[in-house]
Amino acid sequence: MCLNEPYYYQGTISGCPKGYNQIAFNHDPRTAIFIRNSFDCIRLSLSCEIALSINWNNTEHIIICVYCPPSENLDNSIVKLEAICTRHSNKRIIILGDFNAKSSDWSPRSTDARGRSVLEFINKMDFVIENSSDSLATYSCEKGESWIDLILSKNIDRNLVNNWQVHSDITASDHRLITYTLCENFSHVYKRTIWKIENMKLIDFKLEISKLVESYRGKSINCENLDETLSYFL
């Protein structure tokens, strides 16, 4: 469980469930992670960006929780993220956090300068955006709503990711709860998508191509099924 701007009181973070460890940096932390006591983890970075190595289902996962304040230069956080992701480029990586960046690739709002910086990082490091652009706002307060919280993943089979959702339940934070499922056991039924160049979003197109390629990885293609296989790509 990753948190941004957690409520910190008398040396502890409010709301940590029983049976979980809380991982945070210094007093008045910007980010925190709650993790089950049963999980073994290695702390790779412990600052404003928390990075952990967790072994789940015999596979190493790099979990990064990040908070990028709107008043600070986003480039500094991007450089730190690139350094961590480059060192672990062949492992499964999940980034969760508040980038305070806007983009039509993950919201109904237009892209701002910070959003362009995040998109450059996503494309450069070959990440996938798990967010849906038509979801509830991830941040809601008296002054308004925004879509600034992201979940990004890398080196994870697209068929394993399901049920990404922003919840409307009231919490103790202005940030809404975001959940999604990563499951090793899956059944996949392919649904063909038709793309129009004039309306195409590059990130969405990249995601669909990745899903399509993964669905045929390791399958045998011969003269009997060649035409049918090619029809999904044309």
Side-chain angles (χ1 to χ4, degrees):
M1 183 184 301
C2 295
L3 297 87
N4 286 144
E5 300 178 280
Y7 182 63
Y8 189 82
Y9 180 69
Q10 295 185 346
T12 188
I13 298 171
S14 177
C16 185
K18 184 178 180 180
Y20 283 71
N21 290 322
Q22 54 177 268
I23 301 173
F25 174 72
N26 216 333
H27 299 292
D28 193 23
R30 292 180 175 180
T31 59
I33 294 179
F34 294 163
I35 183 170
R36 288 183 183 274
N37 295 338
S38 57
F39 278 99
D40 292 326
C41 68
I42 300 174
R43 303 182 186 188
L44 305 175
S45 173
L46 197 57
S47 60
C48 294
E49 298 81 23
I50 299 175
L52 303 178
S53 171
I54 300 173
N55 190 294
W56 176 68
N57 203 25
N58 297 319
T59 303
E60 184 177 4
H61 294 70
I62 308 299
I63 310 297
I64 304 173
C65 184
V66 60
Y67 173 67
C68 307
S71 59
E72 296 183 10
N73 191 334
L74 180 62
D75 293 339
N76 295 331
S77 295
I78 294 294
V79 169
K80 293 178 182 179
L81 288 174
E82 285 189 5
I84 296 171
C85 295
T86 300
R87 289 201 303 270
H88 304 279
S89 60
N90 294 323
K91 298 171 184 175
R92 289 183 174 183
I93 304 176
I94 302 173
I95 300 177
L96 311 96
D98 177 4
F99 286 84
N100 277 294
K102 302 172 184 175
S103 173
S104 57
D105 283 281
W106 58 77
S107 78
R109 304 284 174 82
S110 57
T111 303
D112 61 8
R114 291 173 68 94
R116 285 190 288 274
S117 295
V118 175
L119 286 171
E120 289 176 5
F121 163 75
I122 290 170
N123 284 316
K124 178 181 179 180
M125 304 304 295
D126 198 27
F127 272 89
V128 170
I129 302 171
E130 301 297 349
N131 295 53
S132 173
S133 59
D134 59 356
S135 72
L136 286 173
T138 63
Y139 177 87
S140 178
C141 67
E142 293 180 355
K143 295 181 179 179
E145 295 185 327
S146 192
W147 290 256
I148 52 178
D149 303 284
L150 295 175
I151 297 180
L152 310 175
S153 63
K154 176 183 174 72
N155 298 328
I156 297 178
D157 190 324
R158 305 315 315 141
N159 297 317
L160 304 180
V161 179
N162 293 286
N163 305 320
W164 185 93
Q165 182 180 359
V166 179
H167 297 264
S168 60
D169 309 63
I170 297 176
T171 67
S173 172
D174 292 333
H175 296 268
R176 289 189 169 118
L177 174 65
I178 303 174
T179 61
Y180 83 113
T181 303
L182 179 61
C183 181
E184 294 294 350
N185 298 316
F186 66 91
S187 59
H188 178 66
V189 178
Y190 177 74
K191 180 180 178 181
R192 184 176 180 182
T193 302
I194 305 298
W195 292 90
K196 294 183 179 180
I197 297 298
E198 63 272 17
N199 297 323
M200 184 174 67
K201 291 184 178 180
L202 181 58
I203 298 295
D204 291 343
F205 179 70
K206 177 182 173 182
L207 173 59
E208 289 299 324
I209 290 296
S210 175
K211 288 181 179 179
L212 184 58
V213 171
E214 285 295 337
S215 68
Y216 282 90
R217 189 183 300 275
K219 289 188 176 181
S220 175
I221 300 176
N222 51 53
C223 60
E224 295 180 355
N225 62 13
L226 179 61
D227 289 341
E228 180 183 358
T229 301
L230 290 175
S231 68
Y232 291 114
F233 289 86
L234 301 177

